[in-house]
């Protein structure tokens, strides 16, 4: 059966399945997608805990599944070190970054534009250069207010399937999986961060919303950089 966009009741899956059932479901989704898309299936790794869980799941399905990292000039040094360790360990791990000049403090004056240049554009380049037909993300529906309407299988860009295999996992289940499988994580979590991004736009908060520390004090607070909401195919219109 081909993998097609779904309209499942995500909320009932979040609360209706236990940890082991979610792991099995995620592995099954990746397996099904890998059977259909083969080398066109690629994991996007943001170096956060969710990406590390998805990458580990994907490697269980096949060690040959490719993945890429998108990074920016503003990533915290801990994230850069963590990335460098992974790149040194995994030869096929590709890193995409946009070094074009931008105005000073664009992250403060126009964070949407900053994210578009530094995050969305390199993601588009990764999708194009790696001939991605199905990209795999670590997006979860319980992360925050902007993540409740996604599906496990989507086709937001025509010809590009987006697989969100851990969409229904709780935050604690991510930590459970990472601990049980001894998956390395970004050291910033030990400092109290729950969602990681660029240094100027990421804070530690005690708000229940997992993404509440992102873009604090801007209209983008708790929101999205754009890779999950903007078109990613080369024929996009800005
Ligand atoms: S998270 Fe902040 S610094 Fe990073 S690309 Fe977006 S606006 Fe720019």
């Amino acid at each position: 059966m081909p993998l097609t966009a779904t309209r499942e009741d995500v909320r009932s899956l979040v609360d209706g399945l236990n940890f082991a059932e979610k792991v099995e479901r995620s592995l099954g989704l990746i397996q099904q997608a890998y059977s259909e898309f083969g080398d066109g299936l690629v994991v996007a790794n943001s170096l956060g805990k969710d990406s590390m869980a998805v990458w580990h799941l994907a490697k269980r399905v096949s060690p040959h599944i490719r993945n890429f990292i998108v990074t920016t000039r503003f990533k915290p040094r801990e994230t850069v070190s963590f990335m460098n360790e992974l790149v040194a360990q995994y030869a096929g791990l590709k890193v995409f970054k946009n070094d074009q000049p931008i105005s000073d403090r664009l992250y403060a004056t126009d964070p949407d534009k900053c994210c578009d240049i530094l995050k969305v554009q390199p993601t588009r380049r990764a999708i194009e250069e790696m001939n991605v037909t199905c990209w795999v993300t670590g997006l979860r529906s319980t992360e925050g207010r902007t993540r409740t309407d996604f599906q496990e299988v989507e086709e937001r860009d025509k010809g590009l399937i987006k697989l969100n295999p851990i969409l229904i996992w709780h935050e604690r289940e991510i930590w459970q999986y990472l601990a049980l499988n001894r998956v390395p994580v970004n050291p910033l979590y030990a400092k109290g961060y729950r969602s990681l991004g660029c240094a100027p736009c990421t804070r530690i908060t005690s708000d229940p919303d997992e993404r509440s520390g992102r873009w604090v004090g801007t209209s983008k607070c708790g929101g999205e950089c754009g890779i999950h909401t903007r078109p990613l195919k080369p024929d996009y219109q800005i």
Side-chain angles (χ1 to χ4, degrees):
M1 189 177 72
L3 199 69
T4 51
T6 54
R7 288 306 317 164
E8 293 232 41
D9 182 355
V10 170
R11 190 69 243 173
S12 71
L13 291 169
V14 168
D15 293 327
L17 299 188
N18 65 35
F19 171 71
E21 289 168 335
K22 289 182 184 181
V23 172
E24 282 311 304
R25 185 179 177 94
S26 301
L27 287 169
L29 282 168
I30 298 169
Q31 177 66 68
Q32 194 183 347
Y34 189 51
S35 300
E36 185 164 340
F37 295 98
D39 228 20
L41 178 137
V42 179
V43 177
N45 189 338
S46 71
L47 303 165
K49 64 189 188 312
D50 309 298
S51 291
M52 293 306 293
V54 167
W55 190 26
H56 189 274
L57 287 161
K59 284 192 294 178
R60 284 173 65 179
V61 170
S62 169
H64 304 299
I65 289 179
R66 299 181 298 158
N67 78 104
F68 69 86
I69 290 170
V70 169
T71 190
T72 78
R73 68 199 74 180
F74 295 117
K75 289 290 182 184
R77 68 181 158 70
E78 292 89 340
T79 300
V80 175
S81 300
F82 184 59
M83 177 181 76
N84 290 340
E85 284 166 22
L86 290 179
V87 170
Q89 198 177 347
Y90 298 97
L93 185 50
K94 292 188 68 121
V95 177
F96 291 83
K97 183 169 177 246
N98 188 352
D99 287 323
Q100 80 176 65
I102 57 173
S103 56
D104 281 350
R105 293 178 50 78
L106 186 61
Y107 54 78
T109 56
D110 192 345
D112 282 326
K113 187 171 181 187
C114 187
C115 276
D116 193 68
I117 295 169
L118 300 187
K119 290 189 169 181
V120 179
Q121 289 186 19
T123 304
R124 286 184 184 132
R125 193 153 56 82
I127 301 262
E128 191 175 3
E129 286 182 17
M130 295 180 78
N131 295 315
V132 179
T133 49
C134 176
W135 72 301
V136 186
T137 87
L139 191 142
R140 293 180 16 257
S141 67
T142 51
E143 280 179 279
R145 61 179 173 80
T146 58
R147 302 225 157 162
T148 55
D149 290 333
F150 290 89
Q151 291 287 313
E152 289 174 309
V153 185
E154 305 181 318
E155 189 174 7
R156 290 179 172 250
D157 295 83
K158 193 153 178 48
L160 176 66
I161 292 292
K162 179 181 181 194
L163 185 68
N164 305 313
I166 57 166
L167 185 72
I168 62 172
W169 290 35
H170 287 292
E171 183 183 20
R172 68 168 165 74
E173 290 167 329
I174 294 295
W175 287 115
Q176 197 173 347
Y177 183 86
L178 295 171
L180 287 168
N181 291 284
R182 295 185 172 81
V183 180
V185 291
N186 192 316
L188 285 172
Y189 289 112
K191 296 190 173 179
Y193 292 93
R194 291 170 66 204
S195 176
L196 304 179
C198 296
C201 306
T202 308
R203 292 200 200 151
I204 298 169
T205 71
S206 52
D207 191 291
D209 186 331
E210 199 175 325
R211 288 175 63 80
S212 63
R214 308 291 294 274
W215 300 285
V216 173
T218 76
S219 57
K220 216 170 157 64
C221 185
E224 295 293 327
C225 68
I227 65 166
H228 295 300
T229 52
R230 306 265 292 132
L232 293 178
K233 291 288 278 183
D235 54 354
Y236 61 89
Q237 309 274 326
I238 291 183

